[in-house]
Amino acid sequence: MIRNPRDDAESLALVRRYVAPGRRYLKLGGSLLRMESPEYDRFMRDLREDAGLITPEEIATLLEGSRRERRTAAWLVAVSRRAEFREHLGSLLLAREVCCVGLAYSVALASFGTLRDADLLAAHLDRYLCRPDLGYDQAVVMGALQFIDLNLGGGQVERFLGPGGLWQEWVREAPHQWSGTDPTPHFLSLIRRLCAFVDECAEAL
């Protein structure tokens, strides 16, 4: 069940503390790459500080919320390097309970960058590349899997991208903005840049 922050004082306090200031939840994604100093520096500093302060219990509570809470929580997990949330994020990514959070989950898993993270991303693709009617998240998940594969040489991505793989069929058949074109270069680049932001942000923790 998705927790509505208006239903209890604890959740509402966490939203006000970590999610809402400066409409942070809207900026955690590609838009942060368009920031310039001093806004960029201030945003990174504040995110780093909150990543160090938030408790595991508070993260777990945010991950029960709506898309804005979950998006923020996933980024705080990534910046604070809390790999103990790996399986939880993987489960949420697979469940797709709410929209517009897949990028945040994918960035967190890609920033951890282990073979287990690749497995969790691949599990999502195994399930949803067979669903051309659900044309979201697959591209960012593929970018994250490629990012890990390039770093580790794990070879997970080849079974999707190779001849007869599910990826080309999904690109061809799915009713989404990428239909007929391969978005992998775009999303690999996006994941790489966002993970670089996470690394820079996490260095001072």
Side-chain angles (χ1 to χ4, degrees), residues 122-159:
H124 179 279
L125 294 174
D126 279 325
R127 176 176 294 185
Y128 291 108
L129 288 180
C130 298
R131 294 291 307 274
D133 56 315
L134 299 176
Y136 61 94
D137 286 349
Q138 290 95 324
V140 296
V141 172
M142 177 58 78
L145 181 59
Q146 281 190 299
F147 177 80
I148 295 176
D149 249 26
L150 288 171
N151 288 334
L152 297 183
Q156 275 270 30
V157 76
E158 290 306 318
R159 66 186 179 89

Side-chain angles (χ1 to χ4, degrees), residues 14-29 31-32 35 39-40 42-44 46-47 50 68 71-72:
L14 291 177
V15 168
R16 288 173 173 167
R17 173 67 182 85
Y18 294 108
V19 180
R23 305 186 80 185
R24 168 186 281 168
Y25 65 95
L26 288 177
K27 300 172 183 176
L28 291 168
S31 62
L32 69 83
M35 291 182 190
E39 181 189 13
Y40 179 89
R42 183 169 58 251
F43 184 86
M44 178 179 287
D46 292 345
L47 185 64
D50 283 345
R68 63 178 188 166
R71 180 187 296 173
T72 306

Side-chain angles (χ1 to χ4, degrees), residues 52-105:
L53 291 174
I54 194 169
T55 69
E57 294 76 20
E58 290 171 334
I59 289 174
T61 297
L62 289 177
L63 287 173
E64 294 175 353
S66 67
R67 62 186 181 184
R68 63 178 188 166
E69 291 93 70
R70 294 184 186 204
R71 180 187 296 173
T72 306
W75 274 87
L76 292 170
V77 165
V79 172
S80 58
R81 306 298 201 198
R82 302 193 200 204
E84 65 269 24
F85 282 95
R86 170 185 289 115
E87 300 297 328
H88 193 169
L89 295 182
S91 296
L92 292 173
L93 179 63
L94 195 62
R96 294 177 86 162
E97 293 178 319
V98 297
C99 69
C100 306
V101 194
L103 177 60
Y105 298 151

